[in-house]
Amino acid sequence: KLMILAPNKLFIDYISAVLPDLGVNKIKQTTYIEFMSKCLGKKMKLISPNSKLMALINGNEKSNMIQWVSSYKGSLEFKEVIDHYLKEIEFNLAPSEDFIIEKSRLIRGGRLKKLFIQEFQYLPIYKRLDKIKNILANDLRLKKSLILSKINSKYDDALEKLLFSSRPDSEKRKEKVVHFMDSKEKRISSVEKESKVAIKNYMASFVKKDIFTLYKELMTSPQLLQKYSSTLSEKECRALSKYCQRNFDKKALELEDFAPLFYMKAKLEGIEEQYKMKSIFIDEAQDYSYFQFAALKAGFETELFTIVGDLAQGIHSYRGLKSWEPLVKEIFPNANYQTLQK
């Protein structure tokens, strides 16, 4: 459960030879791109970070836009946009309707909503729906027999009164007896029939879109970007969505898209156990963005990070750290921070 995120394969080859000599084994060694590609679980065409770097060095007409978009996608302001987006997804998925079986309310919608929003907030949003589904199943199993018992008692009492009434035997009484018997069978049959599909029907209204679809919907819509952002202007939202639309048309992602996608996966679906690490070591950290660190922390659910780097050696400074202060104060407030001068 310890992972080293290295800047490249050459670095990994070097430390792979050194670590056993230090008595350290079974450490996962990988690059950020390789880890994200596996964890997100989808084959994606990645626009080379080096091609973007060359565009910036050469200073072509798109360089200003590339620099701005890359910097924005790696910022904590963009993380706020994703947080607001996820909050609305959570609100829209929260149950509100009563769970009813054949005229009988089993669970109030208000209780289910409270469970979803408050009691299960420690879980990823989609996993809360699974929890709600289990609660419905358990409640149905417990209360179905009570519902059937009430129906039986109701009609049995009515039949008993009818059969032992003082009225003489007549065709009219026979018709009523048959009617009661038929009604009883219909209601019991209705309960049995509804019970088989009640949970499926109730859960059908909750549509779980995958993170790539949701991310694309957000990033290609100027209206959504403006809705969730407190810093972007209308012009900037249009420019950002247009830039992203071109990449999606090519079915390609940038390295800067990994952080929001990983963050959304953590908050919506949860990170699979095989990819969860307890302790993470990151070298050449100056080329990471603030959002990358925030996303990794959220996904791994740990603060055991060892982060080393030198701001003066930043290669991808257009998207990387400008200062250690936001990292230490906002993302890892409990961190021990040391500056080495020699």
Side-chain angles (χ1 to χ4, degrees):
K1 292 294 180 181
L2 191 151
M3 180 171 71
I4 296 173
L5 282 178
N8 51 54
K9 290 283 187 182
L10 187 65
F11 187 95
I12 290 171
D13 290 342
Y14 170 70
I15 60 173
S16 295
V18 174
L19 289 175
D21 294 338
L22 299 174
V24 181
N25 296 301
K26 295 184 179 177
I27 293 176
K28 186 173 180 63
Q29 303 161 58
T30 185
T31 64
Y32 178 80
I33 290 174
E34 186 180 330
F35 176 77
M36 285 292 160
S37 298
K38 287 181 180 177
C39 185
L40 293 173
K42 185 176 181 179
K43 286 186 178 180
M44 297 162 288
K45 179 183 174 185
L46 183 68
I47 296 169
S48 170
N50 290 335
S51 66
K52 291 176 68 175
L53 190 59
M54 288 306 297
L56 291 171
I57 291 169
N58 294 329
N60 65 28
E61 70 278 4
K62 296 179 182 177
S63 60
N64 287 340
M65 190 64 186
I66 290 171
Q67 188 165 352
W68 176 72
V69 172
S70 299
S71 178
Y72 182 74
K73 282 184 181 178
S75 68
L76 294 179
E77 286 84 6
F78 183 48
K79 177 183 172 290
E80 273 188 28
V81 171
I82 300 293
D83 279 329
H84 292 151
Y85 186 40
L86 290 169
K87 199 71 186 170
E88 184 153 312
I89 291 170
E90 177 191 39
F91 180 79
N92 290 336
L93 281 176
S96 57
E97 299 294 324
D98 294 344
F99 182 52
I100 297 170
I101 295 289
E102 214 274 330
K103 303 175 186 177
S104 299
R105 182 173 62 197
L106 274 64
I107 311 178
R108 289 180 182 273
R111 180 171 170 251
L112 289 171
K113 188 172 186 175
K114 186 180 178 183
L115 286 168
F116 185 88
I117 298 290
Q118 296 178 19
E119 304 296 324
F120 300 149
Q121 64 176 317
Y122 65 93
L123 288 169
I125 294 169
Y126 288 170
K127 287 190 176 179
R128 295 183 212 174
L129 289 176
D130 296 334
K131 198 89 169 172
I132 293 292
K133 187 178 179 180
N134 289 336
I135 285 171
L136 297 182
N138 290 333
D139 213 66
L140 177 59
R141 189 169 59 252
L142 290 170
K143 293 179 180 177
K144 179 184 165 185
S145 56
L146 290 174
I147 293 169
L148 290 172
S149 179
K150 282 182 180 179
I151 292 171
N152 278 316
S153 295
K154 177 186 174 182
Y155 283 98
D156 287 348
D157 289 346
L159 280 168
E160 193 173 348
K161 286 178 184 177
L162 187 64
L163 291 170
F164 294 97
S165 64
S166 55
R167 294 177 188 175
D169 195 9
S170 66
E171 285 299 317
K172 196 172 183 181
R173 189 169 72 169
K174 283 181 183 178
E175 284 176 12
K176 281 191 176 183
V177 168
V178 171
H179 172 72
F180 276 133
M181 293 294 286
D182 286 345
S183 297
K184 177 184 172 183
E185 288 303 315
K186 280 179 184 177
R187 287 204 64 188
I188 289 172
S189 176
S190 177
V191 170
E192 294 288 358
K193 190 176 178 181
E194 279 192 37
S195 297
K196 289 176 182 177
V197 295
I199 296 168
K200 183 182 177 182
N201 289 345
Y202 189 87
M203 299 304 297
S205 60
F206 307 114
V207 180
K208 296 193 285 188
K209 293 182 180 179
D210 71 87
I211 56 169
F212 294 93
T213 301
L214 289 169
Y215 186 63
K216 182 179 178 181
E217 286 178 3
L218 171 67
M219 299 308 290
T220 56
S221 169
Q223 295 78 19
L224 286 180
L225 287 168
Q226 193 162 21
K227 179 181 180 181
Y228 301 122
S229 172
S230 59
T231 58
L232 292 179
S233 66
E234 186 179 342
K235 184 181 177 181
E236 286 172 328
C237 288
R238 285 200 306 270
L240 179 58
S241 65
K242 189 176 179 181
Y243 179 95
C244 293
Q245 184 66 65
R246 282 197 295 267
N247 288 340
F248 283 117
D249 289 342
K250 298 174 193 170
K251 297 183 178 178
L253 292 174
E254 299 180 306
L255 182 140
E256 293 81 13
D257 294 315
F258 282 152
L261 284 167
F262 183 77
Y263 187 73
M264 288 175 70
K265 183 178 176 67
K267 296 294 183 181
L268 287 169
E269 304 170 0
I271 305 301
E272 287 88 342
E273 203 58 41
Q274 61 176 317
Y275 297 116
K276 275 196 176 179
M277 298 292 149
K278 290 180 182 174
S279 185
I280 300 92
F281 185 97
I282 298 176
D283 193 24
E284 305 295 352
Q286 69 275 1
D287 284 328
Y288 284 68
S289 69
Y290 297 112
F291 197 176
Q292 279 178 286
F293 286 115
L296 288 169
K297 179 185 172 183
F300 293 137
E301 298 178 87
T302 181
E303 292 206 13
L304 294 176
F305 280 74
T306 302
I307 299 166
V308 294
D310 180 357
L311 296 180
Q313 294 186 48
I315 297 171
H316 299 276
S317 57
Y318 60 93
R319 67 155 188 262
L321 304 183
K322 305 293 186 290
S323 161
W324 295 109
E325 196 172 334
L327 188 67
V328 175
K329 285 189 174 180
E330 296 183 51
I331 302 172
F332 296 102
N334 301 318
N336 294 316
Y337 174 56
Q338 298 288 337
T339 302
L340 306 179
Q341 299 292 356
K342 293 184 181 178

